[in-house]
Amino acid sequence: MSRRNEILAALEEIKLLSSPALGAMQVVNNPDSGSAEVSRVLELDPALTTSVLRFANSAYFGCSREIHSVREAVVRLGMKTIARMLYMSEASQWAQCPVKGYDLAPKMLWNHLVTSAVATEILAKKIRRQAPNGAFTAALLQDIGKLVMGSYLEVDAGPILELAVHEKIPFDEAEFRILGINHAEVGAELLKRWNLPSAIVDAVRWHHDPESHPGEKLTVDLIHMADVISMMAGAGLGVDGLNYTVCPGSERRLGMNIKIVEQVLCELQDETGKLEQTV
C-alpha cells in the first residue's frame, strides 16, 4: 500500500530548522533584502552569528584578513556567499547524523552532499559554464528527503533495494513503486514548505530525472552529473549505492566525456576537504 499521503502529511511535523534559521533564509532569499536587513536578522541569533563568522574566516572562502562582524561578512562576501554559508551551517547539523533506513553512518550523508555541491561548481568550470545561483545549495540539499524518510519516518530501504535489483530499475523508481513517492520529491516538498526559491526546489525534485524537469535544465543537469561523480568517488554511499541511472540528455547537454569526469574527480577530494574543515 502506498505511503504517499502519510509521508506528505508527516512533513508538517518535521522541524529540521530552528525558527531563527528559517526566518533568516526567507530574508536572504528575498531579492528586495539589503545587506543591512540581512545582517540584522543574522545578528539576532547568536548561533547564526557564530556560524557565519566561522565560515567567513575559514580558508575555503579565502578572505585576506579576519572578519569580525556579521555586517562586515555580508558586505565583503556578498549575499550569494552568505546564503551559502547559512545553508551549509544548517545542513551540517542534520546531515552529519546517521540515516537509519538508508544505512548511512554518521557523516556519510554530509560527505556525499558536500562532495556533490563542490563537484557541481568544479564541473561548471570544466565545461566553461557559469553555475546558476542556487546550484551549490540545491546540490547540498538534494538528499534531504533521505533523512526525512529514513530517520524520521523510519522507511526501510531494504525492500526498495531488493526491487531495484530484481527488476533492474533505478532506486528512485523502486522507491516510488513501493511508497508512492521517492526521496527527491519528499525533499522538494519539504523545501517548498520552507519557501526556498523554486529553482532550488525544482533541482532537488528532478535531480535523478532531469528529462522530466519542465524548465531550463542547466542547474538540474549539473547536480545530476555531480551526484553521479560524487558516487563514483565513493562519497557517502549507503544502501542505495550506485543503483541509479545516468541521464543521457544531461551528458549530451553538458558535453560530458571521460576526460571531464577525470578532471573533476582529480580536484574534488582537495576542494571537498577544505570545505569540510569549515564545519
Side-chain angles (χ1 to χ4, degrees):
M1 177 181 288
S2 171
R3 293 182 61 186
R4 179 184 179 84
N5 291 337
E6 171 201 344
I7 290 171
L8 290 175
L11 294 181
E12 298 294 341
E13 306 300 322
I14 292 173
K15 308 296 182 185
L16 286 177
L17 296 181
S18 65
S19 296
L22 189 56
M25 285 182 178
Q26 291 170 352
V27 172
V28 169
N29 287 323
N30 185 342
D32 295 326
S33 296
S35 59
E37 186 177 1
V38 171
S39 300
R40 188 160 51 248
V41 73
L42 292 173
E43 289 170 336
L44 286 174
D45 186 73
L48 294 178
T49 296
T50 300
S51 295
V52 167
L53 290 179
R54 184 178 70 249
F55 279 109
N57 287 302
S58 67
Y60 184 81
F61 290 101
C63 290
S64 57
R65 62 182 178 84
E66 190 172 9
I67 291 176
H68 297 282
S69 71
V70 170
R71 294 191 181 193
E72 184 183 4
V74 173
V75 170
R76 288 181 60 190
L77 299 175
M79 301 285 257
K80 178 180 176 180
T81 300
I82 292 297
R84 178 181 298 185
M85 290 178 181
L86 181 58
Y87 288 118
M88 285 184 59
S89 173
E90 293 303 307
S92 69
Q93 296 182 49
W94 51 258
Q96 296 200 59
C97 299
V99 182
K100 292 181 290 186
Y102 285 78
D103 196 27
L104 289 164
K107 297 189 177 182
M108 285 181 68
L109 180 60
W110 172 246
N111 180 244
H112 176 70
L113 296 179
V114 170
T115 302
S116 296
V118 172
T120 297
E121 297 207 320
I122 295 175
L123 176 57
K125 292 177 184 176
K126 295 303 177 185
I127 63 171
R128 293 182 170 81
R129 303 288 292 273
Q130 179 69 40
N133 286 339
F136 181 97
T137 299
L140 192 68
L141 299 176
Q142 62 178 308
D143 285 337
I144 192 172
K146 286 184 180 179
L147 178 74
V148 171
M149 293 168 70
S151 292
Y152 286 82
L153 302 178
E154 298 184 347
V155 167
D156 179 7
I160 299 171
L161 178 62
E162 184 178 346
L163 177 65
V165 172
H166 180 71
E167 300 273 339
K168 297 181 180 179
I169 59 175
F171 187 86
D172 52 305
E173 183 180 335
E175 281 180 320
F176 184 82
R177 296 240 315 246
I178 287 180
L179 302 171
I181 197 167
N182 62 34
H183 71 270
E185 185 176 1
V186 169
E189 287 296 326
L190 182 62
L191 300 184
K192 191 184 299 181
R193 285 164 168 76
W194 292 352
N195 294 316
L196 265 62
S198 59
I200 293 175
V201 174
D202 289 346
V204 169
R205 172 67 183 89
W206 302 111
H207 74 278
H208 286 306
D209 185 19
E211 292 303 328
S212 295
H213 176 39
E216 197 280 323
K217 297 185 188 296
L218 178 57
T219 298
V220 71
D221 282 341
L222 284 170
I223 294 169
H224 175 76
M225 291 308 309
D227 185 36
V228 171
I229 291 172
S230 177
M231 287 188 283
M232 290 173 63
L237 294 179
V239 69
D240 48 333
L242 295 172
N243 286 280
Y244 296 100
T245 56
V246 181
C247 174
S250 293
E251 290 184 297
R252 183 181 65 255
R253 287 186 291 269
L254 297 180
M256 296 298 298
N257 57 51
I258 189 61
K259 182 179 179 180
I260 291 173
V261 172
E262 289 173 346
Q263 289 174 341
V264 176
L265 286 169
C266 185
E267 294 185 24
L268 196 50
Q269 185 173 4
D270 184 51
E271 290 300 308
T272 300
K274 290 179 185 177
L275 187 55
E276 289 185 318
Q277 289 174 13
T278 66
V279 179

